[in-house]
Amino acid sequence: MIRYGSAVSAFVLTVLAASCSHKGESAILPKPTAFGAAVVESSGGKQLAQTGSLLPQPVVVQVNDEQGAAVTGALVEFAAAPGVGFDPPDGLTDSSGQVTTNVSLAGMAGRYQITAFTFDKSHKRLELKLEEIALGYQETLGRRLNDQYCDRCHNSESTVERVSNYDNLEVKPHPFTEGDTLNKISNTDLTAIITNGGPALQKSALMPAWGNTLSKTDIQALIAYIRAVSDPPSRSAGPTYARR
Ligand code: HEC
């Protein structure tokens, strides 16, 4: 009985595996009616999302001809590291030369490289690479604290929920994405300035002290967030996952 059962399940597994790989290798792609000379980003690069979740905005790419005019009917395919999902994974460019896809990031924190590719008339592959950032648990906590306490001064743009205070500050703080500045500050110094305020690093007292408001765990989470979003990436930003 056991032998019979396992033989059946082995058979089922083989059939499932066969049908899966079949689908993967020979997925039917839409047939292009036109070919472009370049694939460019329209929107959707450099977004943040929690690991395993959907990016807030879709990724939109455009195929152009030699003159930079939009091409309708060109085939665009999307690829990334295993675990990254695209809905849809491919498509023909619409009347504005664009293909839109919703992207869900895989389960590991880090940067994900997304490739969009198409082919020109001579079957040469044309590629566009975008990068998206998946935040782990600690970094997501840091992001929430940033939205709550820091963004109003460190981000010069106002949103519906939050009016920016940036323009009122005599000394200008840096956005945390500004890697050229933030990457040069050690974790120890970040902890010091966040805990004790600007004067801890001989900087302006317009940067308040947070040591009474935030716990050590909170401050570590903020630092993890700052390291995760910096551009260029910090040395402790972790790996970039690309298509194998
Ligand atoms: C009331 C406005 C204000 C708030 C809120 C604020 N900061 Fe600042 N921050 C500043 C200013 C101004 C500076 C620049 C000080 C200087 O260069 O002398 C600064 C500097 C910094 C720096 C040094 C790098 C840089 O931008 O120059 C770090 C790191 C920092 N802040 C982290 C934080 C964190 C984390 C929070 C939230 C917990 C926060 N700040 C909230 C105003 C603010």
Side-chain angles (χ1 to χ4, degrees):
M1 202 50 199
I2 288 163
R3 266 187 65 192
Y4 175 70
S6 60
V8 168
S9 53
F11 172 74
V12 170
L13 281 178
T14 315
V15 170
L16 279 178
S19 63
C20 281
S21 66
H22 179 74
K23 200 178 157 207
E25 280 159 24
S26 60
I28 299 154
L29 292 169
K31 214 175 155 53
T33 56
F35 298 90
V39 52
V40 297
E41 176 180 352
S42 180
S43 64
K46 295 202 168 153
Q47 294 187 70
L48 303 175
Q50 202 169 347
T51 49
S53 68
L54 203 59
L55 291 178
Q57 305 294 325
V59 166
V60 185
V61 303
Q62 182 167 329
V63 175
N64 292 332
D65 65 15
E66 284 88 348
Q67 283 75 45
V71 172
T72 303
L75 174 65
V76 174
E77 295 170 67
F78 296 96
V84 176
F86 296 101
D87 181 21
D90 51 64
L92 297 183
T93 52
D94 63 13
S95 56
S96 41
Q98 297 181 338
V99 173
T100 299
T101 188
N102 293 299
V103 182
S104 57
L105 299 180
M108 308 288 283
R111 287 161 197 251
Y112 285 85
Q113 191 181 78
I114 308 263
T115 309
F117 61 93
T118 187
F119 293 92
D120 73 3
K121 274 188 227 95
S122 58
H123 302 292
K124 199 178 117 219
R125 190 180 152 111
L126 309 168
E127 276 189 354
L128 167 71
K129 288 187 164 64
L130 302 176
E131 212 170 71
E132 313 290 358
I133 300 176
L135 302 178
Y137 176 80
Q138 191 189 29
E139 295 152 351
T140 301
L141 171 63
R143 183 190 193 185
R144 260 185 240 126
L145 294 166
N146 169 60
D147 290 350
Q148 196 175 345
Y149 298 108
C150 322
D151 226 23
R152 67 192 156 93
C153 287
H154 280 264
N155 187 338
S156 57
E157 279 165 43
S158 293
T159 63
V160 181
E161 304 86 37
R162 172 188 56 68
V163 177
S164 177
N165 186 35
Y166 184 88
D167 290 340
N168 301 325
L169 296 169
E170 264 168 51
V171 184
K172 301 299 182 196
H174 297 86
F176 296 140
T177 46
E178 229 177 86
D180 287 333
T181 300
L182 272 303
N183 291 346
K184 291 194 191 113
I185 309 179
S186 68
N187 283 5
T188 310
D189 283 350
L190 283 180
T191 308
I193 190 171
I194 299 170
T195 310
N196 301 315
L201 294 190
Q202 282 82 51
K203 287 178 184 277
S204 167
L206 291 171
M207 165 61 189
W210 299 95
N212 293 328
T213 313
L214 302 175
S215 68
K216 287 209 171 79
T217 312
D218 288 344
I219 292 170
Q220 276 168 7
L222 276 164
I223 294 172
Y225 169 76
I226 291 170
R227 296 309 189 204
V229 299
S230 77
D231 183 18
S234 83
R235 270 187 295 134
S236 51
T240 296
Y241 300 102
R243 194 164 69 118
R244 276 194 214 127

